[in-house]
Amino acid sequence: MNLIKKEFLMFLSLLCAIGVFLMSSAFQSMAYWGNDFTWYWVGVVFTYFLGLMGIVFLVFAIKRKTRVNGESRSGLSVFGIMTSIILIGGFLWTTFIIIAGMSGI
């Protein structure tokens, strides 16, 4: 894990965050694939799993220490803050879609 750079982990987290939004629209159409909601829930589980992987990558990126002018620093950059907002928004949006879909809206 020492060979993986902090920026690469942030990039993987951002890709997962974007994937959450792409999958949230995809699993809506998966509801019509069969006679029941099996594929819908498979899409929901995959979407949440992708979001959790993004959070794991983000946590690893935050915990990585970088050297700046001889000092060891860890923390969240602007890129990380943006990624975390996208991840939280993706979770909320997916949950909203599930609630709206189950209520019949």
Side-chain angles (χ1 to χ4, degrees):
M1 194 71 173
N2 288 338
L3 297 176
I4 299 176
K5 296 198 181 260
K6 185 175 185 173
E7 293 82 17
F8 184 67
L9 289 171
M10 287 284 198
F11 180 70
L12 287 176
S13 179
L14 182 65
L15 282 179
C16 288
I18 292 170
V20 166
F21 279 105
L22 294 176
M23 279 302 297
S24 68
S25 65
F27 78 78
Q28 290 176 18
S29 65
M30 291 170 79
Y32 302 105
W33 283 7
N35 296 331
D36 55 359
F37 285 106
T38 304
W39 289 109
Y40 175 80
W41 289 110
V42 167
V44 168
V45 168
F46 184 71
T47 303
Y48 277 133
F49 177 73
L50 196 60
L52 287 174
M53 288 300 297
I55 289 173
V56 167
F57 289 139
L58 188 64
V59 167
F60 281 141
I62 291 170
K63 290 192 173 242
R64 295 282 301 168
K65 297 197 183 295
T66 56
R67 293 233 176 241
V68 177
N69 296 332
E71 295 180 13
S72 181
R73 291 188 176 183
S74 63
L76 200 58
S77 64
V78 174
F79 186 67
I81 293 170
M82 180 184 67
T83 302
S84 62
I85 290 171
I86 293 172
L87 279 170
I88 292 170
F91 273 109
L92 292 175
W93 179 250
T94 302
T95 305
F96 171 74
I97 290 172
I98 293 169
I99 293 170
M102 293 295 112
S103 69
I105 293 178

